[in-house]
Structure formats: C-alpha cells, structure tokens
Amino acid sequence: MTRLTINAKHLKTDIFTGIIIALVSIPISMGYAQIASLPPIYGLYGSLLPVLVFALITSSPQFIVGVDAMPAAMMGSCLSSLGVTNESSQALWIVPSVTLLISIWFILFRILKAGRIVKYISNPVMGGFISGVGLTIILMQVPKLFGAFPGTGEVVSLVKNIVLQLKNFNLLSFVLGLGTIITILVSRKIAPKFPMTLIMLLLGIVLTVFFKVQNYGVQLLPAVQKSLPQFKFPPVYILKEHFMEYLVLSFSISLVIMAQSLLTSKSYASKNGYSINVNTELLAYSAMNLSGSLCGTCPINGSVSRTGMADQFGSRTQIVSITSFITMLIVVLFCTQYFVFLPVSVLTGIVISALIGIVDYKQAIRLWKSDKTELMIFITACLGVLLLGTIWGVLIGVLLSFFTVVRRAVVPPRSFLGLIPGYQDFYNLNRNKAALPLCNTIIYSFRGNLFFANIDTFENDILNSIKEDTKQVIVDAHGIGSIDITASDRLVKLYGSLKSRNISFYLTEHAGTINDQLRRYGAECLINQGAVRRTVSLALRDCGLTRPYPLQGAKNNQITEIVEADERLAEFEWAFGKEAEQKMKDMAHEMADTIAVIENKEEILSVDLEKVEEKVKWGKIGLFDEEELLDRFEIHLEHLEEKGKLTHETFDLLDKKIRERKKIVEQKVSMLNPHATELLKTRHRILEEHLKQTSPKDYERLVKLKNFLNKQE
C-alpha cells in the first residue's frame, strides 16, 4: 500500500473522508490558532500547504496532520507567561519563528536518528504533561465562555482572572458555550463518527443570522479576511530577547509532536498491516512545519482525532489529505465572510471540548488502581505545568522520565524461589501456594542489571532472609545482564561475610559475560572458589543436595519425583498471583451462571463443559487447574440450587456432566506418569484444606457433595 495509490475501490471513500476532515477542521483549527495567540484565519492557513506537503512526503498512507491542540496549547501558554499579547503583531512574528525552529529540530532529529528517543518518555510523564497544558488552556478559555476576556499566566493567575471576569458575565453567552461543550461530549460518546463540531459551528452562525444574538451581549468573531496566506520567511531574530525560553519551547514541542505522531502512525501501521519509515516521517514533520512557518501559522502536528475519524470512515491513502487541502482552499477563498456570524462562546466551547479530550484522566484512574508511584509522577508532571508554566513543565517531565528509568533499574523484579513437589523447575514462593522452600536453603532471583544503585537492595534482601538454620544462599542470576565494579566488590564482601557464618554463597544461571566482568573487576575469587555455578541444581549438588530435595513443610508421603509434563503445571497462580483464587472463583461462577439459565433438558445433556470453560475469558485450561475449576463450579451450582435459582433436576444433570468430565481429566492425568494421579489427589486435599480455612460455607458445600456422591456410588 503506497500513500497516494489511486484505487477505485477506495477513491470515493477517501474523497468523501477528505471533505469531512476539512469541514471538521474548520472550527477546531480556528480555535487552536487563537489558543496559540494567532487570529483564527491562521488556523485555516495551517490546514492548507502543510497538509499537502506532508501528504507528498510521508511514508504513512493514513496519518492526518494539521493545527492541533497540544502544540497550540504549549505555544499559547508560553507566550502568555512571557507577556506576549494575544493576536498582537509581536505574536504574528514570534509564533511562525518558533515553528521554523521546530522544523530545524526535526532535521537534527533525522540526522541523529532520534526517533528512538520516543521510547524513553513514559506514558505517565507524557500524560501528566499534556494534561497540565490542556487544563491550563481550558482555564485560560473559561472567561470567553461567558463573554469576558481570557487570562494569562499559571493556574493561580488564571483562577483569579476567572473570578474577576465574573463581573462581565453574560448568561446567553454562557448557555451557548456550555451547551456546545455538553452537546459535543455527548455526541462523542454515542456517535463518534458524527461531525458534531461542524454542526455546532453552523448552528452558531444560524442563531446569529436569525436571532441576532449579538443584540443580547454575545460577542462574535471579528471579520476574517478572504485571502490566501502571504509567504514570508519568519524573522528569527525577534526571538533574541527570550531566546533560551523559545529554544526550549521549540525543542519540547518537537518532542511532543514526534512522540505523539510517531506513536500514532506506528499504531495504525500495525493495525492495518503496513510499515512506516521513521526517518521519512521526521523529514515530513520538518517540511510541514517549514511550510507552516512560511504561512505564518503555529506548529503542525499529527492529529490523533482526525486520523481516527479517517480510519473509521475506511480511508486508506493520502488522497484524503489532498482532498482536505482542496476543500479547505475553497473555504478560505469563498466562505470566510460567514465566520463573522459565529459567536465567540460557541467557538470557545468547541475548543474546550477538544481540550478535554487531551486531559488524560483515564490514565490517572488506571494508575490509581495499579501503580501509585506512577500516579505521583503523572500528577507531578501535571502540576509542574499548572503551577510553573510550560517550560518548567518540560524540564520536570525530562527529570521524571529519567527518574522513572532509574527507579525501575534500582528496584527490579525479585523473588525467593522454591519447589512445587513433583516439579523440576523453581517457582516464586509468593505466587505459587503449592511451592515450598528447600530446607536450610535460600534461592533468590534478581531480574535486573546489578550496579551501584541497586546492590544495597540485592544485599539487604539476602541478609534479611537468612535464618539460624540457613546453610546456603543461591542467586538465580539469569535476569542479570551486566554488573559494575561497585556491585562486583560488594559481591566479594557478601561472599566473605556469609562464609564467615558458615553459609555458602552461589551466583548461578547467568550469561558467561558476567564471569568475564567479574574477572575484569578483580572478583575472580568468586569463580576460583566455586561460588559461580552454571545452574541452581549444580550449586545444590555442591552443597550435597540432590533430588528429591528436602522441602520445608513437605509431608512424609508427599511425592517429590519430577513430573515431566507442561500441562501438569497450574497456571492461575503464576498468571494472577494474589488474585488467582478470586479469578478461579469468578470463572466458575461465570460458567455456572451461563449454564444455569438453560431449562431444556436436552440442551443440558448436550453441554460440552470443556468448550464452556474455553469461552470464559481464559481459553484452554491445564488439567490440574481444571480439576480445581470443576470443584468450584460444582460448589457454585450447589449455592444456586440453595437459592432456588437452579432446579434440583437441572443440578443432578449438571452434576453428572461434571463427574464425567472429572473422570476424563483423571484419565489424562494418569497418562502423564505413575505419580501424577497421586499428585492430583494431593492438590485436591490442599484445596479442601484451603477452603476450610478461608471459606467455610464453600467447604461445607463441597463435603455435602462428596457425601452425596459416595451414597450414589
């Protein structure tokens, strides 16, 4: 698929989509231009030549660009903090000059192949930064909703301005603006393809023409000239007074454009089965901003919303952008005189509804539920922009990105390991309740490069885990890819300290390059004295331990021979950790609720439990997990019968199906090896004991079912 392929199959769709994209771009481009401190017409200029230039260069057949919220908001916020008056002659020269700097940055990015930098900016940092800018501009625009003047500065100044401007409050303006926001947001939920922003623009013009809303104090847009942009090379020298601020601004906007545009275009490329060339894209970003600076407009960015809309309509080539350019050209030449009838509050409502879309509250909610540290990073980046301004927000974002990388390196995943009786490998003791630690032995897994910043964590974990009866400490180091001289020295000291306490220390499972580094850093004593072994098993053998290993808490009759079969392994505890039990219970409940509604006896008899299991979110389940699932399924059926939600006849039929399925599972298990059936019974006893302690009612139901089945037999 090439970017300008003319295919009869897609041509009509692409042309139609291009027209829709252009019409939708009219109100939001005008609003974004105002946010960037420019007159509204410059938003339309940004939808002309830059869009065409990008379409001719890009390697993406789908990606749509234009005047966009994020760069406009960053530009407006910075200019406001530097005291540049909105739509002033000074702003008319500063904005395109910064846009020119952005085009130069993209040339440098291409030379340095800096597209890779995107992966070092975390989602919480980017989301918090963008949300902060979005909230700042929303607060700037709020007074325009009720017919007053916008604010400048940071959040404190903006809130003060809103309060002071209340004296100029116009109720009709506020109703029009707020109504616009609500209508667009509701439409976005129930009919995302519908171009409601365009409808609101037309409706605002109609209200002015027929009801003369300006007679009731509603402000209208100033006259927009009907002309093409005049191409001028921006006078970059005008930036000299605050050059460092503008340099940082242009660099930060370039990063935002690169991150947002590359990530979005790559996402659609992956979704629709084509590839893009990163270097070509960087060249296209440079060219579109260069053409934008010559037109006097604000920075041009990839548009997530317009690209998403084009994809929903089924567009597949850059014919969409060509058509959008032609449509916008017609609008600029023949239709701008009608914009004078547009109420300012309606356009402000359109802009605010778009800015609400870039406030990433959904990510904040996800982080609240999953990672409070990442949430604090998100909030800090957001508050940095709100309280200190865009420039400081950028610097805070960079520092937070660095902090995120360091934090993950300093505190990598780590765990203590043990054996599940009958298994060959070693498993996380915290995520596998059937796993038992080896007697007198600590097996510690560390999954990250070992260096000066995390060697304390490594050492403290081991020392704090040692008990009076500990005789050996074995490190599973297969996740350690490199080691520095500080960590190397500390390993030698740790080895000596443990040896003085008659505790053996081993480093195992790592790549051979780690041994090379140890020798290079003067820690070859670890190798020479046998503290470095190829595998955990070899280290245990060196301590005099061979299979079957002695396990803490293992019963005398518990099987410890190895079962060589992957399907033997229970996956739920590995996959869900502490939530495994609840997940298993939910799955059993979903199965029961799905089948319990069946009233026809013949349908119940034809139910295939294995297929039902596969449909409830997990897929094909392992044999040992299936045994537990069937138990829980049966318990819940008993519960439904007690509540009268399941007839006794239906319960008997389903119970028969469960027993038949259990026999099949047991037959399959017995084929694994001679001990597998005994292992299954052991696991069943563990489950019963666990239910007795954690859920007495479920345990009573299980006992009741077993007694009933014994009588039946």
Side-chain angles (χ1 to χ4, degrees), residues 343-545:
V344 169
S345 59
V346 171
L347 182 58
T348 302
I350 292 171
V351 171
I352 290 178
S353 65
L355 289 168
I356 289 173
I358 73 172
V359 177
D360 202 351
Y361 63 91
K362 290 183 179 178
Q363 183 177 175
I365 294 172
R366 281 178 58 203
L367 294 174
W368 170 261
K369 295 178 179 178
S370 61
D371 193 326
K372 297 296 191 296
T373 301
E374 294 278 31
L375 176 64
M376 290 307 301
I377 290 173
F378 178 98
I379 293 173
T380 303
C382 181
L383 291 177
V385 176
L386 283 170
L387 297 173
L388 303 175
T390 308
I391 300 301
W392 279 104
V394 171
L395 296 176
I396 290 171
V398 171
L399 291 175
L400 288 175
S401 294
F402 175 74
F403 168 76
T404 302
V405 173
V406 172
R407 184 178 70 89
R408 294 192 180 280
V410 170
V411 190
R414 58 207 198 278
S415 59
F416 291 95
L417 309 180
L419 275 173
I420 298 175
Y423 290 88
Q424 180 176 9
D425 296 324
F426 298 91
Y427 299 95
N428 188 333
L429 292 171
N430 290 329
R431 298 187 73 86
N432 297 273
K433 62 175 174 280
L436 300 173
L438 276 67
C439 294
N440 313 119
T441 305
I442 293 168
I443 304 177
Y444 175 62
S445 174
F446 191 87
R447 295 175 178 268
N449 294 333
L450 196 58
F451 64 111
F452 67 92
N454 61 23
I455 186 62
D456 275 345
T457 300
F458 177 94
E459 191 172 355
N460 290 335
D461 281 349
I462 291 174
L463 293 176
N464 292 335
S465 67
I466 291 175
K467 301 176 182 177
E468 290 184 5
D469 63 349
T470 300
K471 294 181 179 179
Q472 48 268 336
V473 173
I474 301 171
V475 177
D476 179 349
H478 79 268
I480 300 178
S482 68
I483 186 170
D484 75 352
I485 191 169
T486 303
S488 175
D489 291 344
R490 294 280 288 277
L491 283 177
V492 173
K493 290 181 180 179
L494 178 62
Y495 170 72
S497 173
L498 293 176
K499 187 176 181 180
S500 68
R501 298 165 62 179
N502 295 317
I503 298 174
S504 302
F505 174 80
Y506 298 92
L507 196 66
T508 71
E509 304 284 352
H510 50 274
T513 53
I514 297 296
N515 296 332
D516 298 336
Q517 290 177 331
L518 289 172
R519 281 191 291 269
R520 189 162 63 247
Y521 297 141
E524 65 272 8
C525 62
L526 295 175
I527 302 170
N528 297 337
Q529 297 179 29
V532 171
R533 305 309 290 253
R534 184 70 179 267
T535 66
V536 173
S537 298
L538 289 173
L540 288 167
R541 187 173 67 179
D542 193 59
C543 300
L545 298 176

Side-chain angles (χ1 to χ4, degrees), residues 544-575:
L545 298 176
T546 57
R547 295 184 186 273
Y549 299 121
L551 302 179
Q552 293 181 28
K555 297 177 181 178
N556 293 333
N557 63 345
Q558 194 161 4
I559 303 299
T560 56
E561 285 83 6
I562 300 166
V563 176
E564 299 288 358
D566 289 341
E567 197 171 11
R568 154 63 185 111
L569 184 60
E571 290 184 279
F572 267 70
E573 290 178 15
W574 166 77

Side-chain angles (χ1 to χ4, degrees), residues 166-185:
L166 287 175
K167 61 185 179 184
N168 298 317
F169 188 90
N170 181 277
L171 181 60
L172 182 56
S173 290
F174 184 69
V175 169
L176 290 174
L178 185 61
T180 299
I181 295 172
I182 294 172
T183 303
I184 292 175
L185 293 180

Side-chain angles (χ1 to χ4, degrees), residues 259-307:
Q260 185 174 320
S261 298
L262 281 181
L263 290 175
T264 305
S265 57
K266 283 183 176 181
S267 174
Y268 280 99
S270 176
K271 174 185 175 183
N272 294 312
Y274 58 85
S275 60
I276 63 169
N277 185 302
V278 172
N279 284 333
T280 301
E281 293 308 291
L282 294 177
L283 180 62
Y285 303 160
S286 176
M288 70 186 186
N289 278 288
L290 175 61
S291 60
S293 70
L294 297 177
C295 297
T297 190
C298 55
I300 310 299
N301 187 22
S303 173
V304 177
S305 59
R306 279 167 272 192
T307 302

